Amino acid sequence: MPRARRRAVFTVLFRAGTVLALLLVLSPAVWLLGGVVAKAVPHWQWNVLWTNLRGEDGGLLGPIVGTLVLMAGVLLIAGSVGVLAGIHLAELGRPGRHGGPGGTWLRMASDVLAGFPSIVLGYVGYVALVVGLHWEFSLLPALLVLSVMVVPYIAKATETALRQVPVSYREGAEALGMSMGHSMRKVVLKSAAPGIVTGLLIGLAIAGGETAPLLFTAGFSSTVWTGSLVHSQGFGYLTYLVYQFWSYPVKHANYLSYDAGLILVVMVLLLLVAARVIVARTQRHSEYRGR
Amino acid sequence: MPADVPGSRSERTEGAARPGGVASAPEGGPSQAVDSVLDALDPDRDRPANVIETHGLGLSFGSKPVLSSIDMQFGRGTITALIGPTGSGKSTFLRSLNRMNDKVVGFRHEGDATLDGRSIWDPGTDLLDLRRRVGMLFQRPNPFPMSIRDNVVAGVRAHRIAKGKQLDVVAEQRLRKVGLWDAVKDRLHDTPFRLSGGQQQLLCLARALAVGPDVLLLDEPTSSLDPISTEYIEAMLAELVPALTLIVVTHNLGQARRVSHRTMFFYDGQLVEQGPTEDLFERPTNLQTERYVMGRFG
């Protein structure tokens, strides 16, 4: 076969391969989204958003509040710890040896943590916090376990994003006599914002979508979260209902299961939109915009 | 243009009567009285004639020496060009003067460099203030990812020199100073990355000037620019003296000749020859210098 022809055939095959990969990624996403919408919308009633759950009856107010509180808490705890850890790994210490004192250990610990099965972390949380510290099923142990789970992702995303900030920005800031803190806040973090926001987004999505570790730490209860961090004898969250009510022999419970799924999907979509808005705002003066 | 200001500030300081020396001056008369008044108004009158001096300055990265025993004085209000082939150590020398090399792994220095008579490595020297006083312009324009106006005042904010509405005044003033105001006044809040390369470099110059430096280090400031921008920036440099002292690393021998009062020739980590630009180019005393300025090697 002549070379030109061989190249043409190769190009066609390669294109077909990329299109196939794209379809493989897209179709489950579309299928899931469509499935949840198709199952939930026909019987959708807005009052599930503000009605309390009573047994397998009523609405989803408690679980919605629970999931939102979990997300906010994880954003607060894992967000700050993860971003700070990422800054430590990327910025401190001498150049060429990123992470400064303990950097290598921190990075290794973070990688090990990221590889832990979530249910194991949940069980550890149960033994150490729920039983060991007598906190019972409540918000704080759930938050801590979820945070431990997502900190590695946020730290890694932050570190990677910071390392991609062009050296010329840092040098420019340094040469102007900006302190490290000032150049971090005003120049470097802004430029790294898209990567950091993506990390936080993954963290939040995990916080909203996890079930296994929550079974061990949050338990479940149909009452609305009372505002207590410990000793609350469990609280509700959406994923539990998706899992528990789906196979219930009661029609309304099945409906609630699909409603919970739909609400979770919408929450994640809203998060994505929020992230896009934040990124667009921080990047409106970016060198790389529109590429 | 440089011909109008040959070493002006240092020459004046040396030539003019200093306060206290007035009485013993050989000739009296009204002009002398005016001179002494002017001299008293000169904010630099109590400062050393040389802004920066290096004394036996040697630099190395790890076990690799990059420069050895450089003795040099940079007169206030002059332009000095640093020339030499790639790897001769001129950029390293330049970047040491505002301590940009300090963080490089294995960087060590011996000897000393002083700013207004005080060691830049003195423990009492505030690194951030040193860098405010010794500004820098890089080879490639490096505006920050923020609006044009915020770029100009970025350093002003960091050093808390001005705030609020004053920042707008500072921004306008500095943009006018570099001749960029008319081009950007209607898009102060836009990204700087749509400006041309030359305009970006002028923006970086405005940013460096905004914090009120005494010295500006320029690391091949025009090597990534087109000829017209280059010419413009060269003219701009001539206007900055004698208020500022400029030290310019350049590969462009014509540029060194056009803009500088003194030239230093580096070769293989040594300061081979330095002197008034005219002399160094016309009557080099060293064979290597002669070959380099004649374009025999580069």
Side-chain angles (χ1 to χ4, degrees):
Chain A
M1 219 190 304
R3 268 174 61 187
R5 198 178 158 74
R6 213 165 53 205
R7 275 204 297 264
V9 170
F10 180 78
T11 306
V12 169
L13 286 178
F14 193 82
R15 286 247 175 88
T18 54
V19 169
L20 192 69
L22 184 68
L23 287 177
L24 280 175
V25 174
L26 271 182
S27 43
V30 172
W31 185 42
L32 275 172
L33 202 64
V36 169
V37 171
K39 294 275 193 181
V41 167
H43 57 78
W44 176 260
Q45 284 176 317
W46 287 100
N47 64 14
V48 294
L49 294 180
W50 53 80
T51 316
N52 271 330
L53 186 64
R54 292 177 308 272
E56 53 267 11
D57 208 19
L60 296 170
L61 179 61
I64 291 173
V65 170
T67 294
L68 287 177
V69 169
L70 278 174
M71 285 182 167
V74 165
L75 184 62
L76 198 73
I77 298 176
S80 44
V81 173
V83 169
L84 286 175
I87 291 176
H88 183 102
L89 288 174
E91 302 290 323
L92 300 190
R94 291 180 296 147
R97 270 192 54 183
H98 285 284
T104 316
W105 292 103
L106 181 55
R107 201 171 288 117
M108 206 197 294
S110 165
D111 287 346
V112 168
L113 212 51
F116 250 67
S118 62
I119 194 149
V120 175
L121 286 178
Y123 190 66
V124 170
Y126 175 75
V127 171
L129 306 175
V130 176
V131 177
L133 293 179
H134 307 291
W135 283 357
E136 301 170 11
F137 289 129
S138 47
L139 181 65
L140 193 58
L143 274 184
L144 291 182
V145 166
L146 283 180
S147 293
V148 165
M149 267 182 64
V150 303
V151 155
Y153 294 100
I154 299 176
K156 184 62 120 194
T158 304
E159 184 191 355
T160 311
L162 285 174
R163 289 225 200 154
Q164 282 167 356
V165 174
V167 179
S168 64
Y169 295 173
R170 295 171 199 274
E171 277 199 327
E174 234 176 281
L176 271 179
M178 280 190 195
S179 66
M180 189 187 163
H182 193 94
S183 101
M184 213 47 206
R185 285 196 312 274
K186 301 291 176 180
V187 180
V188 177
L189 278 178
K190 208 167 154 187
S191 167
I196 296 174
V197 169
T198 305
L200 291 174
L201 198 66
I202 293 174
L204 282 180
I206 291 177
E210 265 297 341
T211 326
L214 292 181
L215 293 175
F216 277 118
T217 51
F220 190 81
S221 139
S222 50
T223 51
V224 180
W225 179 58
T226 54
S228 59
L229 290 175
V230 292
H231 306 297
S232 59
Q233 279 149 8
F235 65 97
Y237 43 93
L238 290 167
T239 48
Y240 178 86
L241 289 182
V242 175
Y243 154 81
Q244 191 73 6
F245 278 7
W246 178 70
S247 54
Y248 240 59
V250 179
K251 198 110 204 118
H252 189 74
N254 301 156
Y255 286 168
L256 286 182
S257 166
Y258 284 111
D259 288 349
L262 181 66
I263 293 168
L264 268 176
V265 168
V266 170
M267 278 182 181
V268 171
L269 289 181
L270 287 178
L271 273 180
L272 284 174
V273 171
R276 299 294 305 182
V277 170
I278 293 172
V279 167
R281 271 200 67 78
T282 57
Q283 299 312 108
R284 67 188 188 284
H285 298 303
S286 163
E287 193 167 354
Y288 307 101
R289 199 172 69 157
R291 277 194 200 166
Chain B
M1 234 173 295
D4 301 337
V5 281
S8 48
R9 190 65 65 100
S10 57
E11 220 162 67
R12 205 177 90 211
T13 322
E14 283 157 20
R18 284 175 165 269
V22 176
S24 59
E27 45 181 33
S31 74
Q32 190 204 345
V34 172
D35 276 352
S36 72
V37 169
L38 281 180
D39 210 38
L41 287 173
D42 184 351
D44 292 332
R45 97 196 118 101
D46 294 328
R47 294 173 158 192
N50 295 320
V51 193
I52 290 185
E53 292 183 4
T54 66
H55 304 282
L57 184 64
L59 305 169
S60 54
F61 295 119
S63 57
K64 186 168 163 272
V66 181
L67 284 174
S68 46
S69 48
I70 311 285
D71 285 298
M72 183 67 195
Q73 295 84 42
F74 296 92
R76 200 176 295 281
T78 63
I79 303 182
T80 307
L82 274 51
I83 60 171
T86 306
S88 58
K90 56 194 189 308
S91 275
T92 307
F93 176 76
L94 188 81
R95 293 169 63 92
S96 295
L97 299 180
N98 64 346
R99 292 178 52 187
M100 290 290 279
N101 286 329
D102 280 20
K103 279 204 331 199
V104 179
V105 180
F107 172 75
R108 283 166 34 147
H109 70 92
E110 52 196 45
D112 204 2
T114 60
L115 175 66
D116 280 344
R118 182 168 175 187
S119 169
I120 62 172
W121 283 289
D122 187 302
T125 296
D126 177 0
L127 178 61
L128 301 185
D129 193 55
L130 170 74
R131 287 177 177 159
R132 183 192 67 72
R133 294 178 58 196
V134 183
M136 190 162 207
L137 200 60
F138 295 85
Q139 183 170 0
R140 290 180 61 86
N142 60 346
F144 297 137
M146 49 180 79
S147 73
I148 291 172
R149 178 252 194 200
D150 287 347
N151 258 286
V152 182
V153 297
V156 176
R157 276 196 169 125
H159 291 283
R160 296 178 195 189
I161 297 168
K163 60 181 180 184
K165 287 231 167 70
Q166 298 168 321
L167 292 172
D168 291 321
V169 178
V170 173
E172 174 171 353
Q173 205 178 35
R174 299 303 161 171
L175 286 169
R176 279 191 191 281
K177 170 91 184 166
V178 300
L180 204 53
W181 176 250
D182 288 327
V184 303
K185 66 181 175 205
D186 296 324
R187 42 175 171 158
L188 288 174
H189 299 285
D190 285 0
T191 172
F193 296 105
R194 274 188 225 118
L195 299 174
S196 73
Q199 287 174 323
Q200 289 187 28
Q201 192 64 306
L202 286 173
L203 179 64
C204 294
L205 181 62
R207 179 177 76 186
L209 292 176
V211 293
D214 298 325
V215 180
L216 211 50
L217 310 174
L218 304 101
D219 193 358
E220 299 186 45
T222 60
S223 67
S224 68
L225 304 182
D226 61 279
I228 294 173
S229 303
T230 300
E231 196 178 328
Y232 188 85
I233 293 214
E234 285 181 10
M236 184 64 51
L237 298 187
E239 282 177 29
L240 292 178
V241 289
L244 266 70
T245 306
L246 308 183
I247 307 177
V248 190
V249 164
T250 181
H251 270 120
N252 180 336
L253 294 178
Q255 181 169 70
R257 232 176 144 153
R258 284 190 297 273
V259 303
S260 71
H261 308 124
R262 294 187 82 83
T263 298
M264 301 167 74
F265 172 62
F266 284 84
Y267 182 65
D268 202 19
Q270 308 284 336
L271 174 56
V272 174
E273 187 171 352
Q274 63 94 5
T277 298
E278 178 91 14
D279 293 353
L280 192 118
F281 278 92
E282 298 296 334
R283 295 171 289 281
T285 56
N286 180 287
L287 188 65
Q288 292 289 8
T289 315
E290 185 174 350
R291 287 184 60 217
Y292 186 76
V293 300
M294 298 285 282
R296 298 269 161 74
F297 75 106

